Amino acid sequence: MKILYFFIIFPILININCQLLPPLPALNLSFLDQSLALIFPIIQNFKNTITLDPFGVTQSWTGPDICNYKGFYCDNPPNNSSATSLASIDFNGFQLSAPTLDGFIDQLPDLAIFHANSNNFSGTISSEISNLPYLYELDLSNNQFIGTFPMSILNIHTLTFLDIRYNLLTGIIPPQIFVQNLDAFFLNNNNFIQKLPDNLGSTTAFYLTLANNKFVGPIPRSIGQAPNLLEILLLNNLLNGCIPYELGLLKKAIVIDVGYNMLTGPLPCSLGCLESVEQLNFAGNLLYGQATIITTPLNEFVFSKAIQRNKHLGIEIDIRLIKFPAPKNDLPEDSERPAAAMMKEPLEQLIEECRPNCLITDMFLPWTTDSAARFNIPRIVFHGTSYFAQCVGASIKRNKPFNNVSSDSETFLVADLPHEIKLTRTQLSLFEQSGRRVDCYPLFHQSSDP
Ligand SMILES: *[C@@H]1O[C@H](CO)[C@@H](O)[C@H](O)[C@H]1NC(C)=O
Ligand SMILES: *[C@@H]1O[C@H](CO)[C@@H](O)[C@H](O)[C@H]1NC(C)=O
Ligand SMILES: *[C@@H]1O[C@H](CO)[C@@H](O)[C@H](O)[C@H]1NC(C)=O
Ligand SMILES: *[C@@H]1O[C@H](CO)[C@@H](O)[C@H](O)[C@H]1NC(C)=O
Ligand SMILES: *[C@@H]1O[C@H](CO)[C@@H](O)[C@H](O)[C@H]1NC(C)=O
């Protein structure tokens, strides 16, 4: 979709020397077109309500040459090609303050475009704007509008672009807005509080932004039917329930962001069908995949308590136990028979049965790499120490910077880290210093090898 901004500014044919004319009344001014004479007092009245104009744009709003006022653009109206009237207003970034737009834009009958991003207009949005027969772009974003969603917008059948984000609007948005022929609908950063309407998927919009409000309830399943959606932003609301399978039907969507809600459940496999997606965000939700924890009987209670805590959130985690033949003790006493040999077979039986996508195991279970490889799945290693410590250790092992200093107290730099980390030889363990493999650490070395 393209949003075309079409400003045709008509050359002013009549040369009026403003200085020679009295400023008011309008009767004595010579206007390019009768329609401009009619809106002259409306603009002047609005100008008188402006309380702040930091860039002095309203200084140009004098005299009959309305088409050259800063922010005002003329064109011939659709129903009379020989007339000239006010077709569009672009106040973007003017930072004007006024208590209301009532009596202004709703009284400009030929207005097709009104853009007022980043001003300080307040009050409610006039219900009279539905009287504007040609209005197709309305941008009131980043102002101080209060009140509820302006229902009169539902009666502007020509509207294709509606941007009311960054205001103080509250209440609910009417479901009918989703059957209006909008190309773009932005209402993020307001205070709308409601369940998302079930007919949301009826929208013809290419861009739909509902982020940073207080929408609750599930993402409607109808979303999959939205024919045009390229970007849908639902982040930072209070949405809950599972992510609907139908989200994966948005074949054209490039950006889907439902982050920072309270969505739960697993990611639907339909997401694999998103053909065009470039940004997909589910962060900050309560999602889970099906997980199974494998442990030994004595450790079961450690996990079962935590699992129990999350059950009410609908998070189901299985525990499976690997039993040892040793009757009294958990792990085998018999040091001649390494635990690995005894656990490998039952673990692989479980992998065979559960068919996981990956295996996450403790660093001291290096042999599980082979088990994972047998089933062609990755093994992710869990290290109790921090990632930082791992990086320092790996760098020292690789670069042996301790060989480069003349005393135990001289510092050396740990290479390849984003920050400058300095150590002395005395801060290293013996086996790190020697670079040798100390006999009591074979398992450690095995587990830290890639
Ligand atoms: C309009 O302008 C004429 C001179 O051009 C002047 O004589 C007349 O008083 C003005 N009328 C008003 C209502 O100001
Ligand atoms: C169209 O506009 C011109 C210029 O304002 C006007 O003279 C003419 O009467 C209008 N035509 C109709 C059909 O209203
Ligand atoms: C054109 O439309 C405007 C706005 O609705 C209206 O005021 C005007 O009378 C119409 N003119 C013609 C010639 O239809
Ligand atoms: C908007 O107006 C409020 C007071 O009504 C003022 O505090 C604020 O600084 C204004 N913002 C801008 C961008 O002018
Ligand atoms: C050892 O010191 C030299 C000279 O200071 C330096 O160029 C080299 O990078 C150092 N090597 C290591 C492994 O730190």
Side-chain angles (χ1 to χ4, degrees), residues 22 24-25 27-28:
L24 280 173
L27 294 171
N28 253 4

Side-chain angles (χ1 to χ4, degrees), residues 178 197-204 220-227 229:
F178 294 110
D198 286 338
N199 70 339
L200 180 125
S202 305
T203 186
T204 55
R221 308 198 88 95
S222 69
I223 195 164
Q225 294 155 24
L229 274 179

Side-chain angles (χ1 to χ4, degrees), residues 43 111 119 207 209-210 235 270 291 343 352 431 433 436 447:
I43 297 170
L111 198 65
N119 283 275
Y207 300 92
T209 305
L210 310 182
L235 68 154
S270 64
M343 291 198 277
E352 178 99 59
F431 81 89
Q433 284 180 48
R436 280 187 297 114
S447 65

Side-chain angles (χ1 to χ4, degrees), residues 33-35 79-84:
D33 193 291
Q34 181 56 22
S35 75
N79 63 357
N80 185 348
S81 60
S82 53
T84 298

Side-chain angles (χ1 to χ4, degrees), residues 228-240:
N228 299 326
L229 274 179
L230 299 179
E231 277 191 33
I232 168 129
L233 307 183
L234 298 174
L235 68 154
N236 264 323
N237 280 289
L238 302 166
L239 300 173
N240 54 30

Side-chain angles (χ1 to χ4, degrees), residues 38-47 103-105 107-109:
L38 288 172
I39 62 171
F40 176 80
I42 292 159
I43 297 170
Q44 297 304 318
N45 284 343
F46 174 64
K47 182 180 163 181
F104 176 51
I105 56 171
Q107 301 300 315
L108 305 173

